[in-house]
Amino acid sequence: RALAAGEAGGRLFLATELIDGEDLATTVTRHGPLAPADACLAAYQACLALQHVHERGLVHRDVKPSNLM
């Protein structure tokens, strides 16, 4: 959920709620590579999320494992 948006120091920002849990990068670091089926599921879920924001006219611009919960 978005909590605030604005401009600070000439840069736009969007502040979102903190989601408790472990990101994908941490999971892979701790446990090693995902099984192929789990990797496909993670990619599929990320694609669904990106489609959701795209349909609302937004762009994420920083998709990476440490930003996937």
Side-chain angles (χ1 to χ4, degrees), residues 8-67:
R11 292 185 172 249
L12 298 175
F13 71 88
L14 176 65
T16 60
E17 67 181 307
L18 176 65
I19 298 173
D20 192 31
E22 186 171 273
D23 62 65
L24 181 59
T26 301
T27 298
V28 170
T29 298
R30 287 184 187 198
H31 305 287
L34 298 177
D38 292 334
C40 289
L41 180 58
Y44 173 71
Q45 290 173 342
C47 289
L48 289 177
L50 291 170
Q51 178 184 9
H52 180 81
V53 298
H54 174 76
E55 289 172 352
R56 284 148 184 83
L58 301 171
V59 178
H60 189 284
R61 295 187 187 246
D62 196 20
V63 178
K64 58 187 175 187
S66 61
N67 284 337

